CSV table of all heavy atoms in Angstrom, one decimal:
chain,number,residue,atom,x,y,z
P,55,TRP,N,-62.2,21.5,4.9
P,55,TRP,CA,-61.6,22.4,3.8
P,55,TRP,C,-60.9,23.6,4.4
P,55,TRP,O,-59.9,24.1,3.9
P,55,TRP,CB,-62.8,22.9,2.9
P,55,TRP,CG,-63.2,21.8,1.9
P,55,TRP,CD1,-63.1,20.5,2.0
P,55,TRP,CD2,-63.7,22.1,0.6
P,55,TRP,NE1,-63.6,19.8,0.9
P,55,TRP,CE2,-63.9,20.8,0.0
P,55,TRP,CE3,-64.0,23.2,-0.2
P,55,TRP,CZ2,-64.4,20.6,-1.3
P,55,TRP,CZ3,-64.5,23.0,-1.5
P,55,TRP,CH2,-64.7,21.8,-2.0
P,56,CYS,N,-61.5,24.2,5.5
P,56,CYS,CA,-60.9,25.3,6.2
P,56,CYS,C,-59.5,24.9,6.8
P,56,CYS,O,-58.6,25.7,6.7
P,56,CYS,CB,-61.8,25.9,7.3
P,56,CYS,SG,-63.1,26.9,6.6
P,57,ALA,N,-59.5,23.7,7.3
P,57,ALA,CA,-58.2,23.2,7.9
P,57,ALA,C,-57.1,23.2,6.9
P,57,ALA,O,-56.0,23.7,7.1
P,57,ALA,CB,-58.4,21.8,8.5
P,58,PHE,N,-57.4,22.6,5.7
P,58,PHE,CA,-56.5,22.5,4.6
P,58,PHE,C,-56.1,23.9,4.1
P,58,PHE,O,-55.0,24.2,3.8
P,58,PHE,CB,-57.0,21.7,3.5
P,58,PHE,CG,-56.9,20.2,3.8
P,58,PHE,CD1,-57.9,19.4,4.2
P,58,PHE,CD2,-55.6,19.5,3.6
P,58,PHE,CE1,-57.8,18.1,4.5
P,58,PHE,CE2,-55.5,18.2,3.9
P,58,PHE,CZ,-56.6,17.5,4.3
P,59,MET,N,-57.1,24.8,4.0
P,59,MET,CA,-56.9,26.1,3.5
P,59,MET,C,-55.9,26.9,4.4
P,59,MET,O,-55.0,27.6,3.8
P,59,MET,CB,-58.3,26.9,3.4
P,59,MET,CG,-58.2,28.3,2.9
P,59,MET,SD,-59.8,29.1,3.0
P,59,MET,CE,-59.6,29.9,4.6
P,60,TRP,N,-56.1,26.8,5.7
P,60,TRP,CA,-55.2,27.6,6.6
P,60,TRP,C,-53.8,27.0,6.6
P,60,TRP,O,-52.9,27.8,6.8
P,60,TRP,CB,-55.9,27.7,8.0
P,60,TRP,CG,-57.0,28.7,7.9
P,60,TRP,CD1,-58.3,28.5,8.0
P,60,TRP,CD2,-56.9,30.2,7.7
P,60,TRP,NE1,-59.1,29.6,7.9
P,60,TRP,CE2,-58.2,30.7,7.7
P,60,TRP,CE3,-55.8,31.0,7.5
P,60,TRP,CZ2,-58.5,32.0,7.5
P,60,TRP,CZ3,-56.1,32.4,7.4
P,60,TRP,CH2,-57.4,32.9,7.4
P,61,ILE,N,-53.7,25.7,6.5
P,61,ILE,CA,-52.3,25.1,6.5
P,61,ILE,C,-51.6,25.6,5.2
P,61,ILE,O,-50.4,26.0,5.3
P,61,ILE,CB,-52.4,23.6,6.5
P,61,ILE,CG1,-53.1,23.1,7.7
P,61,ILE,CG2,-51.0,23.0,6.3
P,61,ILE,CD1,-52.4,23.4,9.0
P,62,ILE,N,-52.3,25.6,4.1
P,62,ILE,CA,-51.7,26.0,2.8
P,62,ILE,C,-51.3,27.5,2.9
P,62,ILE,O,-50.3,28.0,2.5
P,62,ILE,CB,-52.6,25.7,1.6
P,62,ILE,CG1,-52.6,24.2,1.4
P,62,ILE,CG2,-52.1,26.4,0.3
P,62,ILE,CD1,-53.7,23.6,0.6
P,63,LEU,N,-52.2,28.3,3.5
P,63,LEU,CA,-52.0,29.7,3.6
P,63,LEU,C,-50.8,30.0,4.5
P,63,LEU,O,-50.0,30.9,4.3
P,63,LEU,CB,-53.2,30.5,4.2
P,63,LEU,CG,-54.3,30.8,3.2
P,63,LEU,CD1,-55.5,31.4,3.9
P,63,LEU,CD2,-53.7,31.9,2.2
P,64,ALA,N,-50.7,29.2,5.6
P,64,ALA,CA,-49.5,29.3,6.5
P,64,ALA,C,-48.2,29.1,5.7
P,64,ALA,O,-47.2,29.8,5.9
P,64,ALA,CB,-49.6,28.3,7.6
P,65,ALA,N,-48.2,28.0,4.9
P,65,ALA,CA,-47.0,27.8,4.0
P,65,ALA,C,-46.8,29.0,3.1
P,65,ALA,O,-45.6,29.4,2.9
P,65,ALA,CB,-47.2,26.5,3.2
P,66,GLY,N,-47.8,29.5,2.6
P,66,GLY,CA,-47.7,30.7,1.7
P,66,GLY,C,-47.1,31.9,2.4
P,66,GLY,O,-46.2,32.5,1.9
P,67,PHE,N,-47.6,32.1,3.7
P,67,PHE,CA,-47.0,33.2,4.5
P,67,PHE,C,-45.5,32.9,4.7
P,67,PHE,O,-44.7,33.9,4.7
P,67,PHE,CB,-47.7,33.3,5.8
P,67,PHE,CG,-49.1,33.8,5.7
P,67,PHE,CD1,-50.1,33.2,6.5
P,67,PHE,CD2,-49.5,34.9,4.9
P,67,PHE,CE1,-51.5,33.7,6.4
P,67,PHE,CE2,-50.8,35.3,4.8
P,67,PHE,CZ,-51.8,34.8,5.6
P,68,ALA,N,-45.2,31.7,5.0
P,68,ALA,CA,-43.8,31.3,5.3
P,68,ALA,C,-42.9,31.6,4.1
P,68,ALA,O,-41.8,32.1,4.2
P,68,ALA,CB,-43.7,29.8,5.7
P,69,VAL,N,-43.4,31.1,2.9
P,69,VAL,CA,-42.6,31.3,1.7
P,69,VAL,C,-42.4,32.8,1.5
P,69,VAL,O,-41.3,33.3,1.2
P,69,VAL,CB,-43.3,30.7,0.5
P,69,VAL,CG1,-42.7,31.1,-0.8
P,69,VAL,CG2,-43.2,29.2,0.6
P,70,PHE,N,-43.5,33.6,1.6
P,70,PHE,CA,-43.4,35.0,1.4
P,70,PHE,C,-42.4,35.7,2.4
P,70,PHE,O,-41.7,36.6,2.1
P,70,PHE,CB,-44.8,35.7,1.6
P,70,PHE,CG,-44.9,37.1,1.1
P,70,PHE,CD1,-44.9,37.4,-0.3
P,70,PHE,CD2,-44.9,38.1,2.0
P,70,PHE,CE1,-45.0,38.7,-0.7
P,70,PHE,CE2,-45.0,39.5,1.5
P,70,PHE,CZ,-45.0,39.7,0.2
P,71,GLY,N,-42.4,35.2,3.6
P,71,GLY,CA,-41.5,35.7,4.6
P,71,GLY,C,-40.1,35.4,4.3
P,71,GLY,O,-39.2,36.3,4.5
P,72,PHE,N,-39.8,34.3,3.7
P,72,PHE,CA,-38.4,34.0,3.3
P,72,PHE,C,-38.0,34.8,2.0
P,72,PHE,O,-36.8,35.2,1.9
P,72,PHE,CB,-38.2,32.5,2.9
P,72,PHE,CG,-38.1,31.6,4.2
P,72,PHE,CD1,-38.9,30.6,4.4
P,72,PHE,CD2,-37.0,31.9,5.1
P,72,PHE,CE1,-38.8,29.8,5.5
P,72,PHE,CE2,-36.9,31.1,6.2
P,72,PHE,CZ,-37.7,30.0,6.4
P,73,VAL,N,-39.0,35.0,1.2
P,73,VAL,CA,-38.7,35.8,-0.1
P,73,VAL,C,-38.5,37.3,0.3
P,73,VAL,O,-37.5,37.9,-0.2
P,73,VAL,CB,-39.8,35.6,-1.1
P,73,VAL,CG1,-39.7,36.6,-2.2
P,73,VAL,CG2,-39.8,34.2,-1.6
Side-chain angles (χ1 to χ4, degrees):
Chain P
W55 282 31
C56 283
F58 282 101
M59 181 185 90
W60 285 108
I61 300 297
I62 289 164
L63 276 173
F67 290 138
V69 168
F70 193 76
F72 280 123
V73 167

